[in-house]
Amino acid sequence: MTFEKIQLRWSLCRYDPNTGPPNHSPSSSAWIPASRGLPDDTRLARSRPVPAAADHPGWVTGPMPLLNKKPFSLLEPPKDLDPEQTVFQIRFTKEIFLDYQEYVKRLNLYRQRVWTCKVSGKSNLTFEEALVSEHQAMEKAQNLPTEIMAHVLRMTQYSTLGLIELVNKIYAALQEDVFEGIELHAKKDDAEAPCKILKILDSGDTKLYEVGWIRQGKSKTVINTSVVKATDLIRRRAPVSRNILKLLIRDSTSHSTLWIIHEHLAKKYGISMEPPNGIMYGEGLQKKGRKRHDCVTTEDGRKKSKKDEEHACVPIKYPIDDLLVSPAADDPALLKRPPLVTDFGIPRNSVGDLLMVWDFCLSFGRVLNLYPFSLADLENAICHKESNVLIVEIHSALFRLLIEDDGDYFTALQTNKRKSKLSSEKWAEYLSFFLEKTEIEELSCNSGAVRRGYYGLIDADIKLKILQELVEEAITTDSIREKLSERVEQQQALVATKREIARKEREEKNKNSKNENNDVVQDGNECVDEQGKGKEESDKRDISASKIERKLHLVRHLETEKAKLSIRASPLGKDRHYNRYWFFKREGRLFVESSDCKEWGYYNTKEELDVLMSSLNVKGIRERALKLQLEKFYNSISNALEKRLKEITHKTSLEEAVLRRSTRVRAQPRDSPSMAFLKYVNKWNEH
């Protein structure tokens, strides 16, 4: 699980106070099995904040069945439900109804055969049958034979056609083209038999194919081979439908002006990510209905030669996909990107877990009664080969939260007659019990080592995975959900205040504008005190400037408070190669995560930040967005980098002092700043 996916488990951006906490479990006690006398598709429930569709695993997501071949939308969850109110829920859509008659009416609609599978095009289905059909079609699209998948993706890569035109082109090609791996029929002993093209043989003008005859059935095993002519091959239909092709193209590509397949698919099927030369120079990028202008015309100004059309100049509208950007002569020089620092004490593929655990503990420190600690201290504590106070306090805080929640872990403790009161001396027993109950074999096999007191000898990446599992359990507790709800309400209040300030500012501007328009020229005979008038205007300007300054200060204060309430770390953006950039307000480093989530590095100086920003090409969509974010938070990031650098310099001087002293007096291990985690004291521990 990537760091970004884990963060989404408890992010604010996916949380709605009107629809309940994210990832609300469908097996929660809020949901009661269908009562006797109600239809089988009914769930009778005590009303409780209903989970949002995007976060609930039971909601219908992805393609939606068509009603009479027209788009259909599910009902929104009811708002402001009374906790004691009874509601009716449809099992397969999770729609909530307050009125039973409305519920029955909607359920009867779902049971009628008026639905169409949006993916396969099958009609005369019930809603559930259409859902199953869509699911099967999506699985079929994902499990196409490698040869067909590669052929389709090669034809898709860098195509400038619209989706329908591209699907029709590929569908026609699959009906006509013969390539290795495709399954069709051929003549065998004056009869037709299914076969698979194993090899295309080159024999001059006559096309020959080595085919493997397929035994009919689910296994489709090749029983023997032979060589046939092209005229003996029989095509009944394309190996895949247009709807499956459409779904495959959408899921496998990113589309701006061109269709570009995802980088991991290109590597898997050996497809080049380098754009064709014509596209690099802008050919084929014009949109429908847009006229092409030639650099050179013929004498009569109307006819175009083939050479003119080949060199037609079509301006490119930037930004475009970063992989399509090519350097131009008038482009500003881009600096070379600085190398990443990778001096982590833990495996680089575990840095995401480290950041997730650390950020969670600091974001919910008050709920956990866990005093803040630095990322470096957590990393050193994880790498330490002995049990230490920071590790003990983190595990103890998480176990107390799980026990106080009266959830699955507490129930398991009660079932096994274990004490529910946790002490720091017994934390390893609770961890061992947790590992015994987990279904992840990689973690459960360490239960014995923890029970015998050998936690420190476990590999660092396994320690982090254990903490990750504990954090994911903690996310589901009521205490964390309540904190989420509280912070969302506070954020909404701040946003409302900011909107009110903006509204008043607009009204004031409109009022001033009207006053200026209503000014009339006074009669020339009237005596006007020019000096008094000038002083009055000067006073008004000073008052106006003072008001503007106060409003700007208030807006900055609101932004600061809103940032404090945010408990979700989001990447600033991605570069050309889809590497993600992360910045945490409590840590003075700019982290970089590789596109495959396996490698991490960081920048830790202001100079590296400046060079990074100068290396980004704003002609690309991703790097343009990333640069805008870096510019927006430049002061915060650069100040954090410089602050951390000063702290490191100070620690280095202390370590040198310890080293010099050790030549005269034997220094204790705890005197080294790198061992500062051994001196950690949990000042918020109330137990």
Side-chain angles (χ1 to χ4, degrees):
M1 186 178 293
T2 67
F3 175 65
E4 187 172 13
K5 289 179 181 176
I6 294 169
Q7 286 288 329
L8 287 175
R9 288 290 306 276
W10 48 279
S11 65
L12 279 177
C13 72
R14 298 283 300 277
Y15 176 73
D16 185 346
N18 294 322
T19 57
N23 295 294
H24 180 81
S25 173
S27 61
S28 169
S29 58
W31 307 112
I32 304 171
S35 299
R36 184 176 298 176
L38 292 176
D40 292 338
D41 298 297
T42 309
R43 284 178 182 263
L44 181 64
R46 292 292 182 188
S47 69
R48 185 173 176 173
V50 183
D55 291 324
H56 196 294
W59 290 107
V60 179
T61 58
M64 177 67 66
L66 302 176
L67 175 60
N68 294 322
K69 299 185 178 181
K70 294 181 180 179
F72 177 81
S73 300
L74 297 180
L75 296 176
E76 292 293 328
K79 297 181 179 179
D80 303 325
L81 288 176
D82 186 343
E84 297 300 322
Q85 190 172 2
T86 300
V87 297
F88 304 92
Q89 182 187 54
I90 294 180
R91 169 180 50 79
F92 46 85
T93 65
K94 297 297 182 290
E95 290 173 295
I96 302 295
F97 295 85
L98 303 179
D99 182 70
Y100 181 72
Q101 295 301 325
E102 290 295 324
Y103 158 77
V104 172
K105 182 179 177 182
R106 177 56 68 99
L107 188 59
N108 288 335
L109 174 63
Y110 288 146
R111 288 174 172 174
Q112 294 178 28
R113 293 193 171 276
V114 293
W115 299 91
T116 302
C117 172
K118 189 174 182 180
V119 178
S120 66
K122 293 180 181 178
S123 57
N124 296 325
L125 305 174
T126 66
F127 187 89
E128 276 195 281
E129 289 172 347
L131 282 179
V132 172
S133 176
E134 289 176 355
H135 177 71
Q136 291 174 346
M138 293 177 71
E139 281 190 342
K140 187 176 180 181
Q142 295 170 358
N143 297 322
L144 283 176
T146 303
E147 296 82 1
I148 295 179
M149 181 78 81
H151 194 70
V152 171
L153 294 180
R154 285 194 185 94
M155 294 187 68
T156 303
Q157 182 76 313
Y158 296 120
S159 173
T160 60
L161 298 175
L163 180 60
I164 302 301
E165 292 84 355
L166 179 59
V167 168
N168 289 336
K169 178 183 176 182
I170 296 175
Y171 186 81
L174 289 175
Q175 285 183 310
E176 298 174 2
D177 295 351
V178 177
F179 50 90
E180 293 180 4
I182 191 171
E183 295 180 6
L184 34 72
H185 287 71
K187 293 179 180 178
K188 181 183 180 184
D189 299 331
D190 298 327
E192 293 181 10
C195 64
K196 181 177 182 179
I197 303 296
L198 301 179
K199 191 174 182 180
I200 300 175
L201 305 175
D202 188 9
S203 59
D205 296 335
T206 305
K207 288 187 177 180
L208 299 177
Y209 301 94
E210 182 183 346
V211 300
W213 302 104
I214 300 174
R215 178 182 293 152
Q216 293 184 353
K218 292 185 178 180
S219 60
K220 291 187 176 182
T221 56
V222 175
I223 51 179
N224 54 54
T225 63
S226 61
V227 176
V228 299
K229 297 179 181 179
T231 54
D232 293 333
L233 297 178
I234 300 171
R235 285 296 187 88
R236 291 183 174 177
R237 58 187 177 88
V240 59
S241 69
R242 288 185 175 90
N243 287 319
I244 296 296
L245 285 175
K246 189 184 297 183
L247 182 64
L248 175 62
I249 292 170
R250 283 174 173 166
D251 287 347
S252 306
T253 62
S254 58
H255 182 223
S256 52
T257 307
L258 307 172
W259 295 98
I260 305 171
I261 66 173
H262 298 316
E263 192 170 2
H264 70 280
L265 291 175
K267 291 179 180 178
K268 181 177 180 180
Y269 295 103
I271 301 173
S272 173
M273 293 297 290
E274 289 297 323
N277 292 331
I279 293 178
M280 292 287 286
Y281 290 100
E283 295 183 9
L285 295 179
Q286 74 278 5
K287 293 184 179 179
K288 200 170 184 178
R290 188 173 177 178
K291 294 182 178 180
R292 298 177 67 177
H293 301 280
D294 292 342
C295 298
V296 183
T297 59
T298 57
E299 292 180 0
D300 59 4
R302 291 176 295 180
K303 296 181 179 180
K304 301 177 183 179
S305 66
K306 291 183 179 180
K307 185 176 180 181
D308 291 331
E309 289 200 357
E310 289 176 359
H311 295 85
C313 298
V314 180
I316 302 174
K317 186 177 180 181
Y318 294 105
I320 61 176
D321 189 275
D322 299 67
L323 296 175
L324 296 177
V325 176
S326 59
D330 56 346
D331 284 351
L334 298 176
L335 298 181
K336 184 179 179 181
R337 198 154 301 173
L340 293 170
V341 182
T342 57
D343 57 350
F344 299 108
I346 60 174
R348 274 187 276 177
N349 60 355
S350 298
V351 175
D353 294 340
L354 177 76
L355 288 168
M356 186 274 287
V357 172
W358 172 74
D359 196 38
F360 176 84
C361 290
L362 267 64
S363 296
F364 296 96
R366 284 293 183 183
V367 180
L368 296 168
N369 293 319
L370 189 63
Y371 192 73
F373 48 86
S374 69
L375 181 64
D377 282 348
L378 177 59
E379 182 179 2
N380 291 329
I382 290 291
C383 295
H384 196 56
K385 293 301 181 182
E386 296 178 7
S387 175
N388 54 80
V389 63
L390 181 55
I391 291 296
V392 171
E393 288 293 341
I394 293 173
H395 284 84
S396 299
L398 291 170
F399 282 126
R400 287 193 189 100
L401 183 68
L402 295 178
I403 292 171
E404 292 170 0
D405 187 62
D406 294 345
D408 294 340
Y409 183 75
F410 176 78
T411 304
L413 287 176
Q414 296 292 95
T415 304
N416 288 268
K417 298 181 180 180
R418 292 179 178 262
K419 294 181 180 179
S420 59
K421 188 174 182 180
L422 175 68
S423 62
S424 298
E425 294 77 15
K426 301 290 185 180
W427 73 277
E429 293 182 11
Y430 290 84
L431 177 57
S432 176
F433 180 72
F434 177 81
L435 294 177
E436 288 174 1
K437 296 300 178 183
T438 185
E439 297 178 356
I440 304 174
E441 185 178 353
E442 185 182 19
L443 305 184
S444 60
C445 65
N446 293 281
S447 174
V450 173
R451 186 170 54 253
R452 292 191 298 271
Y454 298 128
Y455 171 85
L457 300 180
I458 298 175
D459 293 338
D461 59 332
I462 300 299
K463 292 179 182 177
L464 285 169
K465 287 179 181 178
I466 292 172
L467 281 172
Q468 175 194 317
E469 285 298 312
L470 282 170
V471 167
E472 291 205 28
E473 287 292 327
I475 291 169
T476 64
T477 60
D478 289 339
S479 299
I480 298 298
R481 289 175 176 174
E482 288 173 6
K483 192 64 178 178
L484 281 168
S485 178
E486 177 187 334
R487 292 193 179 183
V488 168
E489 290 174 359
Q490 292 173 350
Q491 275 203 333
Q492 289 180 336
L494 289 174
V495 170
T497 304
K498 191 177 177 181
R499 286 177 181 170
E500 182 66 18
I501 292 172
R503 185 186 64 79
K504 289 182 178 179
E505 189 174 350
R506 286 194 301 270
E507 289 179 353
E508 190 173 340
K509 283 183 179 179
N510 293 334
K511 185 178 179 181
N512 293 336
S513 178
K514 288 180 181 179
N515 290 337
E516 290 177 2
N517 294 333
N518 292 333
D519 285 345
V520 292
V521 179
Q522 298 295 324
D523 188 83
N525 297 326
E526 292 182 1
C527 180
V528 180
D529 187 356
E530 295 293 338
Q531 184 177 359
K533 185 178 179 181
K535 185 177 180 182
E536 183 179 350
E537 290 180 353
S538 177
D539 291 342
K540 285 182 178 179
R541 284 196 298 270
D542 291 342
I543 293 172
S544 178
S546 177
K547 284 183 178 179
I548 292 173
E549 182 63 31
R550 286 199 299 271
K551 286 179 181 177
L552 288 174
H553 177 74
L554 180 57
V555 169
R556 286 194 294 267
H557 173 71
L558 291 174
E559 289 289 348
T560 303
E561 291 300 313
K562 186 179 176 183
K564 289 179 181 178
L565 291 173
S566 177
I567 55 173
R568 181 198 176 219
S570 303
L572 294 170
K574 301 176 184 178
D575 63 15
R576 172 187 175 92
H577 300 291
Y578 297 94
N579 299 315
R580 288 177 286 273
Y581 290 72
W582 298 84
F583 174 69
F584 301 86
K585 58 187 178 183
R586 308 177 186 92
E587 174 65 21
R589 283 181 278 184
L590 180 63
F591 290 91
V592 183
E593 180 187 14
S594 64
S595 58
D596 60 1
C597 312
K598 294 180 180 179
E599 296 290 328
W600 285 79
Y602 64 88
Y603 297 118
N604 61 350
T605 66
K606 185 179 178 182
E607 291 73 21
E608 289 175 337
L609 174 63
D610 293 336
V611 175
L612 169 66
M613 294 175 66
S614 300
S615 71
L616 299 174
N617 194 333
V618 294
K619 286 186 174 181
I621 296 172
R622 291 184 293 280
E623 294 200 350
R624 180 188 182 89
L626 175 59
K627 188 168 185 178
L628 288 174
Q629 286 295 95
L630 290 173
E631 288 173 348
K632 180 180 179 180
F633 298 104
Y634 179 80
N635 290 334
S636 299
I637 297 174
S638 58
N639 291 339
L641 294 177
E642 290 182 336
K643 180 181 177 182
R644 180 177 179 273
L645 192 60
K646 289 179 181 178
E647 291 175 352
I648 290 176
T649 304
H650 178 66
K651 288 181 179 179
T652 303
S653 63
L654 288 178
E655 287 180 344
E656 290 175 353
V658 169
L659 184 62
R660 288 194 299 270
R661 188 179 61 165
S662 65
T663 60
R664 301 187 300 272
V665 180
R666 185 176 180 180
Q668 296 296 324
R670 290 170 180 259
D671 292 338
S672 173
S674 61
M675 307 295 282
F677 66 92
L678 295 174
K679 293 183 178 180
Y680 173 79
V681 177
N682 188 4
K683 299 178 182 179
W684 293 350
N685 188 358
E686 298 176 356
H687 297 82

